[in-house]
């Protein structure tokens, strides 16, 4: 910072600097100030790039696997890593979790911060209506509507020239407008780990009717018969393996480093859609006038919608005092279930505890009691 001298007597006998040198210092000060502001702005942009929340996908680095780590060869739709769904017709797919070696393994710096990746083994079956893909649905079709977005991911295949389709689809929900698909591009994988980026313009929603459960869907088309040539961007049919890691969707025309949220936060985000509740979450049993027994299981996270409830038949073993005052095992078998966004309850049991009530809840068979599924 340059200071203007207001008091020193100058050669002309007057106090203070003359206008020219004074304004020269003013200009130089402004140059420094604006240069500093540019540096501050760059620092703010850099900070924004490090903040969590840029990635619209959940579990994009495949670190959460509540349903298990290996999904044998099969067709049909099934969830694998949390929030990720494989779907196949005719063609068969095996999905599994693979651990990334320390330092990133063969991927080197590309995956040096990742722990897991998703491996998909594709056994192609020729047929116009056959296909295989992996996808994630992002809640609410308003997400990124009317924006330019970049899809980035790290991947390799077991063979060269493995063409896949990267597609976004806008689904407007139950009772809404017809879904809009084929927003994306083709990507060709080879046997080397590479960072791929696809930039697309997501259409706006003007004139569309929105219903319940709308979503924006990302699909990786791994195998596609002629019926899906457009949506898959001519992915074609072939057999091979694909390894997928660090998938991200963000606003803008440039891919940034993977947005790695804290693990506790990532798990909570996953549990909004699916939660495996352990047996010790049961808080008690009540009974009704007709003898139905009820056990309440609160969720860790409020669900997107009242979830679909299931439980392995051998995973539920409730113990309490029965009609005669004797200790009874209430084998869950196939109990009736009710659910809200906050809790699940066993709405009926084969034995009642109307006279004495329940005093103990326990499981001798499994640590998993109930699965709550609120996926789109």
């Amino acid at each position: 910072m340059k200071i203007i001298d207001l008091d020193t007597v100058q050669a002309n006998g007057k106090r203070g600097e003359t206008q020219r040198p004074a304004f020269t210092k003013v200009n130089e000060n402004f140059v420094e100030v604006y240069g500093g502001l540019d540096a501050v702005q760059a620092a703010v942009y850099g900070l924004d790039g490090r903040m969590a929340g840029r990635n619209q996908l959940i579990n994009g680095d495949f670190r959460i696997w509540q349903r298990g780590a290996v999904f044998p060869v099969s067709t049909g739709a099934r969830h694998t890593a949390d929030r990720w769904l494989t779907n196949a017709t005719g063609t068969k797919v095996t999905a599994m979790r693979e651990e990334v070696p320390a330092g990133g393994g063969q991927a080197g710096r590309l995956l040096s911060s990742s722990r897991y990746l998703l491996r998909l083994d594709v056994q192609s079956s020729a047929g116009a209506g056959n296909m295989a893909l992996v996808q994630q649905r992002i809640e609410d079709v308003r997400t990124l509507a009317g924006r330019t977005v970049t899809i980035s991911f790290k991947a390799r295949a077991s063979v060269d020239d493995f063409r896949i389709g990267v597609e976004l689809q806008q689904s407007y929900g139950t009772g809404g407008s017809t879904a809009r698909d084929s927003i994306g591009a083709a990507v060709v994988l080879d046997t080397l780990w590479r960072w791929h980026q696809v930039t697309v313009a997501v259409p706006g929603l003007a004139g569309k009717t929105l219903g319940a459960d709308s979503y924006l869907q990302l699909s990786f088309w791994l195998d596609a018969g002629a019926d899906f040539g457009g949506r898959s961007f001519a992915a074609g049919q072939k057999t091979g393996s694909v390894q997928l890691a660090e998938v991200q969707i963000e606003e803008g025309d440039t891919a940034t480093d993977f947005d790695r949220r804290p693990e506790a936060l990532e798990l909570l985000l996953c549990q909004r859609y699916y939660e495996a509740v352990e047996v010790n979450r049961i808080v008690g049993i009540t009974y009704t006038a007709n003898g139905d027994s009820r056990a309440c299981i609160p969720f860790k996270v409020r669900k997107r919608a009242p979830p679909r409830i299931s439980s392995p038949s051998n995973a539920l073993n409730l113990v309490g005092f029965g009609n005669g005052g004797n200790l009874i095992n209430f084998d869950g078998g196939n109990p009736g279930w009710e659910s809200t966004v906050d809790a699940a309850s066993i709405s009926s049991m084969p034995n009642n505890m109307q006279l004495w009530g329940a005093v103990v809840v326990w499981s001798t068979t499994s640590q998993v009691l109930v699965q709550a599924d609120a996926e789109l």
Side-chain angles (χ1 to χ4, degrees):
M1 182 175 65
K2 308 217 173 20
I3 303 300
I4 298 172
D5 187 349
L6 300 177
D7 297 310
T8 303
V9 177
Q10 305 296 314
N12 61 4
K14 296 181 179 181
R15 295 174 60 185
E17 294 184 78
T18 59
Q19 290 182 344
R20 185 175 184 81
F23 279 110
T24 298
K25 289 183 177 181
V26 170
N27 288 339
E28 291 173 347
N29 284 339
F30 273 119
V31 170
E32 291 185 8
V33 168
Y34 282 106
L37 288 176
D38 289 340
V40 170
Q41 189 175 50
V44 170
Y45 285 156
L47 179 62
D48 178 68
R50 291 192 296 272
M51 288 182 177
R54 289 177 292 109
N55 193 0
Q56 297 297 319
L57 297 172
I58 298 173
N59 200 30
D61 59 352
F62 306 103
R63 76 180 105 159
I64 310 295
W65 295 72
Q66 292 188 86
R67 296 172 174 87
V70 178
F71 300 84
V73 60
S74 179
T75 59
R78 55 183 174 171
H79 282 91
T80 55
D82 274 57
R83 302 294 295 118
W84 290 96
L85 175 80
T86 60
N87 198 0
T89 300
T91 292
K92 296 179 180 180
V93 175
T94 302
M96 68 188 73
R97 183 182 71 189
E98 287 194 345
E99 190 165 352
V100 177
Q106 293 181 335
R109 291 182 59 188
L110 278 180
L111 296 183
S112 60
S113 298
S114 280
R115 183 178 178 185
Y116 296 118
L117 56 85
L118 171 64
R119 174 173 171 159
L120 300 152
D121 294 338
V122 180
Q123 297 179 19
S124 182
S125 177
N130 290 352
M131 60 83 181
L133 52 76
V134 59
Q135 57 193 188
Q136 183 174 143
R137 293 173 176 176
I138 303 169
E139 187 177 352
D140 196 343
V141 73
R142 296 176 183 86
T143 305
L144 299 175
R147 310 291 181 87
T148 297
V149 304
T150 297
I151 306 161
S152 60
F153 59 97
K154 294 161 187 179
R156 73 170 180 177
S158 58
V159 294
D160 287 333
D161 299 320
F162 196 101
R163 184 183 177 99
I164 66 173
V166 181
E167 181 209 28
L168 291 180
Q169 180 194 59
Q170 290 178 308
S171 177
Y172 303 108
T174 304
S177 301
T178 302
R180 181 165 185 171
D181 53 39
S182 305
I183 308 162
V187 171
V188 179
L189 308 180
D190 58 25
T191 57
L192 299 179
W193 277 104
R194 301 186 190 276
W195 188 22
H196 300 276
Q197 301 97 35
V198 174
T199 299
V200 298
V202 180
L205 302 178
K208 300 297 183 182
T209 300
L210 305 185
D213 299 334
S214 68
Y215 55 83
L216 176 68
Q217 178 174 272
L218 169 67
S219 297
F220 292 100
W221 290 85
L222 309 175
D223 184 82
D227 291 350
F228 302 104
R231 290 189 60 182
S232 71
F233 302 95
Q237 297 205 265
K238 65 278 184 191
T239 293
S241 298
V242 171
Q243 291 171 296
L244 192 62
E246 296 191 6
V247 187
Q248 182 156 286
I249 299 179
E250 59 190 308
E251 186 176 350
D253 59 4
T254 303
T256 63
D257 290 340
F258 184 77
D259 177 13
R260 201 177 306 280
R261 290 179 283 256
E263 184 141 348
L265 173 58
E266 202 73 21
L267 177 59
L268 291 175
L269 292 172
C270 291
Q271 288 175 332
R272 173 173 166 77
Y273 302 90
Y274 178 87
E275 181 180 344
V277 184
E278 296 180 355
V279 64
N280 59 10
R281 298 297 302 282
I282 293 184
V283 297
I285 295 178
T286 61
Y287 57 88
T288 64
N290 64 5
D292 285 343
S293 304
R294 297 174 182 268
C296 181
I297 306 105
F299 301 134
K300 293 186 179 73
V301 178
R302 173 170 285 198
K303 299 295 177 276
R304 178 192 65 84
R308 298 171 292 277
I309 301 298
S310 62
S311 177
S313 61
N314 63 348
L316 182 59
N317 193 358
L318 306 181
V319 180
F321 284 105
N323 291 353
N326 300 317
L327 198 64
I328 297 175
N329 278 350
F330 291 82
D331 184 2
N334 186 26
W337 289 99
E338 295 177 355
S339 69
T340 68
V341 293
D342 295 306
S345 64
I346 303 172
S347 57
S348 63
M349 293 288 290
N351 302 91
N352 72 67
M353 293 178 261
Q354 185 172 359
L355 298 180
W356 300 91
V359 294
V360 180
V361 178
W362 195 248
S363 171
T364 59
T365 56
S366 174
Q367 287 302 305
V368 175
L369 172 64
V370 60
Q371 294 88 40
D373 186 340
E375 297 283 2
L376 286 157

